[in-house]
Amino acid sequence: MHYSVFLRLLPLAFAAFSFPLSAESAPVAIIPQPLVLEQADNAPGFQLRDGIRVHYSVSRSEMGRAAIRALMAAGFNVLPEEMQGALEVHHIDNANPEAYTLSVSAEGIRIGAASHSALYAAAQTLAQAVQNGIIPAMRVEDAAALQHRGIMLDPCRHPISVADTKRILELMARYKLNTLHWHLCDDQGWRIEIKKYPLLTEIGSKRKESSCWIDQKKKDGKPVEFHYSQDDIREVVEYAHSLGITVIPEIEIPGHASAAVTAYPQLGNQDCPDFAPEVITGWGVFPHVMGPNPFTFQFIEDVLAEVCELFPRAPYIHIGGDEVPRDQWQKSPAAQAFMKEHGYTRESQIQDHFTHFCAQVLRKHGRRMVGWDEIMCAPQLPQDAVVMAWRGMDHARIAARRGHQLILCPIHAFYFNFPYGKNPADSFYSGLTGFNNIDCAHVINFDTSVPGNQVIGMQANLWSECIPNMQKLEYMLVPRICALAEHAWLYGTPNRPDAAHFTRRLQAHYPYFDSLRLNYRKEDGSPRLQAVQQ
Ligand code: TNX
């Protein structure tokens, strides 16, 4: 694949990396580690003073204007152009659009980038390097190995406000994560306004109360009512874009559909005995799945049309597809008649039918489909479907063998809802048990190798059953987000730095977390600011 060509051109990438001691500045500690980083010994760095003044050529080129936006997104003050401007920007030819180069000296900053998106990474490298108002003299050659580097947020199980979502986006941008996977509906709540189906949010965004994780029978008695208006969605999408982040929405089809079916019972399998949908107050997998009927197929077309409009830059749209129980389809005479009509012999073929239908609808909108790895049960799954492999690396390797592009988020390493460690403090702070010991070293070292070159992305998923507030969310996310960013950026790179190298560099990032007042997890396992609520 194109990026490996780039890497082959840099065989000495890591041999060249060192922490030379400079009279001017301490070693820079960038996360993710750039492929080549040379910090000049004894050379004076670039003094920021009141900001970065651009060279006259910069605001005359599209690339230059994009660089200004990227620098501002990274927190720099960019000053108007002048003849002696210190910032120069140029295009570099590289098969990998994520490639960029930097050179910093006392005289100025030169950025080379293969695309606009690479400028965001270049700007964040500069931002991370700043020490006491100086960017140390250095030279960088860098490129992300993967084009999709992300975090999945789940505002369904517990709400996450627009303001808090923006805060998370800023943190993602700092570590060059360029994709937010937004899980917008589930059994416990429908969170995105759809104009054509107002009951989705009028009814489907409200639940009576929530379960405690450990003892699901214990309920907190607190009603939850939360959704994003279409204006909220646009605001988040635009804000993300200003930071170089693309938002990929997820609409769960045909399972995890209790909230949708509660709002519109016609979407469900109404002829099943005991059909009584409700927005779920517990956690797990629930029987309400969509029924294969004309109302449902029209619903999918309509909802995906609005979603495509709201997310104009999303190259693929996530249609869920995970954990689909077949019981209702077995019991529903209408679902059985549908199977007969199509010559289906197994209930799983109803899910396949939904999957193919979604792919077809999305294609009409010029988008590809991405789904959880269960979508692979469909025979002749469209070749351009992207598979998000969560159940483990076996499923990732199957997807690759079948020729699908894939995004890795194996539950064994990239589920940040699970504890960092095994000690009692960890399970106390994390709540959700199952897999544990997902600490930074594990995130860095986990074997994600897949033969071939089908892997296009990697992300961490932050399911929110046990994440009722931002204190807890920050604790679960930080600092693991840095380890994820490092693994994704350097995916498949020979000689990528080890966990000890990462941990050393991470030390330099705690002051940044402190400046944002993040409730991150300290090295002793305790939260930085305050106890996290269960
Ligand atoms: C499985 S991962 C799920 C989610 C849960 C998560 C943690 C996946 C595609 N589905 O619905 O939140 O486990 O409990």
Side-chain angles (χ1 to χ4, degrees):
M1 200 170 178
H2 50 261
Y3 56 79
S4 56
V5 175
F6 177 73
L7 294 178
R8 265 200 299 277
L9 296 175
L10 299 167
L12 297 175
F14 289 101
F17 175 77
S18 62
F19 278 149
L21 281 179
S22 146
E24 286 286 323
S25 48
V28 296
I30 309 294
I31 295 175
Q33 175 63 49
L35 296 180
V36 176
L37 189 155
E38 292 165 353
Q39 196 173 341
D41 268 327
N42 300 317
F46 179 79
Q47 301 236 3
L48 280 165
R49 293 201 184 87
D50 47 352
I52 302 176
R53 209 163 278 283
V54 303
H55 190 266
Y56 75 96
S57 63
V58 167
S59 47
R60 281 170 181 68
S61 77
E62 218 195 301
M63 181 68 106
R65 287 193 296 273
I68 292 172
R69 289 196 295 274
L71 286 165
M72 285 165 56
F76 287 103
N77 190 22
V78 182
L79 301 163
E81 64 180 284
E82 60 168 42
M83 293 304 281
Q84 288 79 32
L87 174 70
E88 286 179 45
V89 182
H90 62 280
H91 175 83
I92 55 169
D93 276 323
N94 196 297
N96 183 350
E98 302 284 291
Y100 72 89
T101 59
L102 283 176
S103 88
V104 180
S105 68
E107 287 71 49
I109 300 168
R110 281 174 61 86
I111 303 179
S115 72
H116 287 192
S117 80
L119 290 166
Y120 287 86
Q124 296 294 350
T125 299
L126 291 170
Q128 287 190 22
V130 175
Q131 295 169 12
N132 304 319
I134 294 174
I135 306 177
M138 62 180 186
R139 191 181 77 79
V140 174
E141 283 178 37
D142 201 8
L146 299 177
Q147 71 198 51
H148 170 126
R149 307 177 300 279
I151 296 289
M152 189 217 74
L153 292 181
D154 165 19
C156 301
R157 276 52 178 269
H158 286 98
I160 305 173
S161 70
V162 167
D164 288 339
T165 306
K166 288 180 170 178
R167 198 166 144 79
I168 299 163
L169 286 167
E170 287 161 15
L171 187 63
M172 288 171 60
R174 175 84 169 184
Y175 295 103
K176 306 174 188 176
L177 296 172
N178 64 357
T179 309
L180 170 67
H181 167 180
W182 216 5
H183 183 77
L184 288 167
C185 52
D186 213 308
D187 297 301
Q188 295 83 359
W190 183 284
R191 304 287 178 232
I192 173 174
E193 177 190 16
I194 299 292
K195 298 277 188 203
K196 223 172 187 165
Y197 297 90
L199 300 184
L200 286 171
T201 41
E202 256 167 57
I203 294 174
S205 74
K206 299 171 186 168
R207 68 170 185 257
K208 287 199 293 282
E209 54 191 351
S210 310
S211 279
C212 302
W213 178 258
I214 310 292
D215 178 3
Q216 288 234 28
K217 283 188 222 81
K218 230 170 103 189
K219 306 280 178 181
D220 65 5
K222 289 187 220 150
V224 175
E225 179 177 341
F226 179 77
H227 76 272
Y228 303 108
S229 69
Q230 294 205 345
D231 283 343
D232 291 338
I233 298 279
R234 278 187 280 266
E235 187 179 333
V236 169
V237 167
E238 285 314 308
Y239 191 68
H241 180 62
S242 76
L243 295 169
I245 297 174
T246 305
V247 187
I248 307 289
E250 178 185 353
I251 303 296
E252 281 268 24
I253 299 164
H256 284 281
S258 305
V261 173
T262 306
Y264 292 95
Q266 310 92 300
L267 281 177
N269 298 280
Q270 285 180 280
D271 55 354
C272 275
D274 310 324
F275 178 83
E278 56 169 7
V279 182
I280 302 288
T281 60
W283 321 120
V285 177
F286 300 90
H288 285 287
V289 296
M290 293 178 180
N293 60 57
F295 182 89
T296 304
F297 290 116
Q298 188 62 48
F299 172 89
I300 292 172
E301 276 209 67
D302 296 339
V303 170
L304 291 180
E306 286 193 36
V307 165
C308 286
E309 212 177 300
L310 286 168
F311 296 87
R313 299 182 199 90
Y316 27 75
I317 304 287
H318 203 304
I319 57 102
D322 59 314
E323 302 178 321
V324 184
R326 328 267 190 228
D327 314 39
Q328 285 198 339
W329 292 334
Q330 263 158 16
K331 291 182 194 143
S332 154
Q336 290 296 318
F338 179 87
M339 283 175 62
K340 215 162 166 194
E341 186 193 325
H342 288 85
Y344 298 155
T345 53
R346 285 169 289 114
E347 278 73 21
S348 64
Q349 291 171 286
I350 299 181
Q351 176 167 3
D352 299 347
H353 191 102
F354 276 112
T355 307
H356 281 282
F357 184 78
C358 290
Q360 197 186 316
V361 172
L362 290 173
R363 198 167 298 124
K364 272 195 289 194
H365 293 283
R367 312 302 173 94
R368 291 168 70 186
M369 175 179 75
V370 53
W372 299 112
D373 56 53
E374 287 97 325
I375 63 168
M376 278 195 291
C377 67
Q380 283 105 43
L381 181 64
Q383 201 61 66
D384 68 344
V386 178
V387 173
M388 197 169 263
W390 72 277
R391 287 181 294 172
M393 291 308 296
D394 294 352
H395 293 275
R397 291 174 190 127
I398 292 169
R401 275 204 297 280
R402 295 199 191 161
H404 294 292
Q405 290 195 315
L406 63 145
I407 294 162
L408 303 174
C409 51
I411 189 167
H412 312 92
F414 300 150
Y415 269 39
F416 288 180
N417 41 303
F418 290 125
Y420 281 85
K422 279 186 181 151
N423 59 40
D426 274 301
S427 47
F428 171 76
Y429 287 123
S430 305
L432 193 60
T433 53
F435 295 90
N436 53 26
N437 243 2
I438 300 186
D439 59 10
C440 287
H442 183 67
V443 174
I444 298 255
N445 293 334
F446 189 75
D447 177 10
T448 52
S449 58
V450 176
N453 54 11
Q454 310 289 98
V455 177
I456 58 165
M458 180 175 286
Q459 66 180 40
N461 296 340
L462 197 55
W463 299 105
S464 295
E465 289 100 329
C466 294
I467 305 185
N469 52 45
M470 274 301 271
Q471 287 83 40
K472 179 80 178 276
L473 190 147
E474 289 165 8
Y475 177 86
M476 300 305 279
L477 190 58
V478 188
R480 285 189 286 203
I481 186 173
C482 297
L484 183 269
E486 173 116 340
H487 195 145
W489 189 270
L490 295 164
Y491 182 73
T493 315
N495 311 322
R496 63 190 166 115
D498 62 13
H501 192 287
F502 169 84
T503 306
R504 278 200 301 281
R505 272 176 289 128
L506 185 61
Q507 303 308 313
H509 291 254
Y510 288 110
Y512 170 71
F513 302 150
D514 288 330
S515 73
L516 296 181
R517 297 194 50 75
L518 288 170
N519 194 35
Y520 60 84
R521 182 187 199 265
K522 293 196 292 186
E523 278 167 296
D524 67 4
S526 63
R528 170 74 178 86
L529 295 174
Q530 48 190 286
V532 287
Q533 188 190 317
Q534 289 304 296

